[in-house]
Amino acid sequence: MILTAVRRAAANLTEPEFRSAFWKSIGLTVLFLVGLWFGLRYLFEWLLWPWMVMMAPDLPGWADAWASWFGVFAGIAAGIALAAGLALLIAPVTAIIAGMFLDDVAEIVETRDYPQDPPGTAVPLVRAAVLSLKFFGIVILGNLLALVLLLVPGVNLVAFFVVNGYLLGREFFEFAAMRFRSEDEAKALRRRHSGTVLMAGFVIAGLLAIPVLNLATPLFAAALMVHLHKAVSVRDRG
């Protein structure tokens, strides 16, 4: 079931109907990440500035050299922290971007691959925005936990996949399901098929961990969960 959904979602990404949503999604994701990079960079500079000012004026030679080395190490530390911050925020950024395009993607997939089924209904804009912001906060908290666990040998990579696999799988599946069901019904369906949804979430987390390809994660995840929702719905009826 999952392999079929993955194969069909990957094929969907190459279809002409996806091009507009694909470039919009990538463009917004890149802009968002670039904005975050500069925002985090200025934040670190602002935090380091009082220390540099305090050490700069009229320092003796040895202290001036020490201050220069401090600036080098501070720059390296800031670069590492910036990279870690962006890695931490890729998952929530993916969730926010996906919330903007899920209905467009779902409509394309439903029309092309399930023309015999009744079309879904888009989640109301305000409700979709509230759910996306709520999930944004949950994913940040989850990834903060995963970031702490990165310091634990043997747990770090597993923590990334478990946290993001669970959270992203849940979010994308429920969004796809709510085109046909109430929010409570979508949650109940996910719980009945929690193992399947989690495994699909691991696939999304795996794509999220691959540089460049992770920019396509929102559209792939949306298409994947539309296919998976269709499959588990048929299983429930059977």
Side-chain angles (χ1 to χ4, degrees):
M1 179 191 298
I2 293 175
L3 290 178
T4 300
V6 168
R7 177 179 56 80
R8 299 184 75 174
N12 286 141
L13 292 180
T14 65
E15 294 168 355
E17 293 88 342
F18 269 72
R19 287 175 187 166
S20 175
F22 179 77
W23 290 115
K24 287 178 183 177
S25 174
I26 287 184
L28 285 173
T29 302
V30 170
L31 286 174
F32 209 111
L33 291 175
V34 168
L36 284 173
W37 171 271
F38 282 106
L40 290 172
R41 177 184 171 185
Y42 287 127
L43 175 62
F44 280 110
E45 288 179 354
W46 179 75
L47 291 174
L48 288 173
W49 180 251
W51 293 92
M52 302 306 294
V53 169
M54 204 166 56
M55 289 186 288
D58 301 323
L59 289 175
W62 65 269
D64 185 57
W66 186 88
S68 298
W69 279 107
F70 175 82
V72 171
F73 285 118
I76 294 173
I80 294 173
L82 284 169
L86 285 183
L88 174 68
L89 291 169
I90 284 178
V93 167
T94 295
I96 289 291
I97 299 299
M100 299 171 62
F101 293 100
L102 179 60
D103 283 313
D104 293 340
V105 172
E107 186 175 343
I108 294 171
V109 174
E110 290 164 8
T111 301
R112 282 188 59 88
D113 296 350
Y114 306 96
Q116 72 282 1
D117 294 350
T121 303
V123 178
L125 184 60
V126 174
R127 184 57 182 159
V130 170
L131 290 173
S132 293
L133 290 173
K134 176 183 175 182
F135 183 67
F136 182 81
I138 292 173
V139 172
I140 286 180
L141 290 175
N143 277 273
L144 284 173
L145 173 62
L147 188 63
V148 172
L149 292 176
L150 285 175
L151 304 176
V152 182
V155 177
N156 39 30
L157 190 61
V158 174
F160 173 85
F161 278 100
V162 169
V163 169
N164 285 296
Y166 172 74
L167 293 175
L168 293 174
R170 185 183 74 174
E171 166 73 0
F172 283 104
F173 183 83
E174 289 183 3
F175 259 118
M178 282 192 293
R179 286 178 56 82
F180 297 89
R181 308 164 187 270
S182 68
E183 186 175 347
D184 289 339
E185 290 172 338
K187 291 180 182 296
L189 181 67
R190 176 189 51 84
R191 284 192 290 267
R192 287 198 299 274
H193 300 277
S194 57
T196 301
V197 174
L198 180 61
M199 293 302 294
F202 288 157
V203 174
I204 298 172
L207 183 63
L208 193 67
I210 302 174
V212 181
L213 287 181
N214 54 15
L215 295 176
T217 299
L219 297 188
F220 172 79
L224 171 63
M225 287 308 186
V226 170
H227 290 300
L228 194 64
H229 172 255
K230 290 287 186 180
V232 300
S233 297
V234 170
R235 177 182 288 184
D236 261 21
R237 290 196 297 267

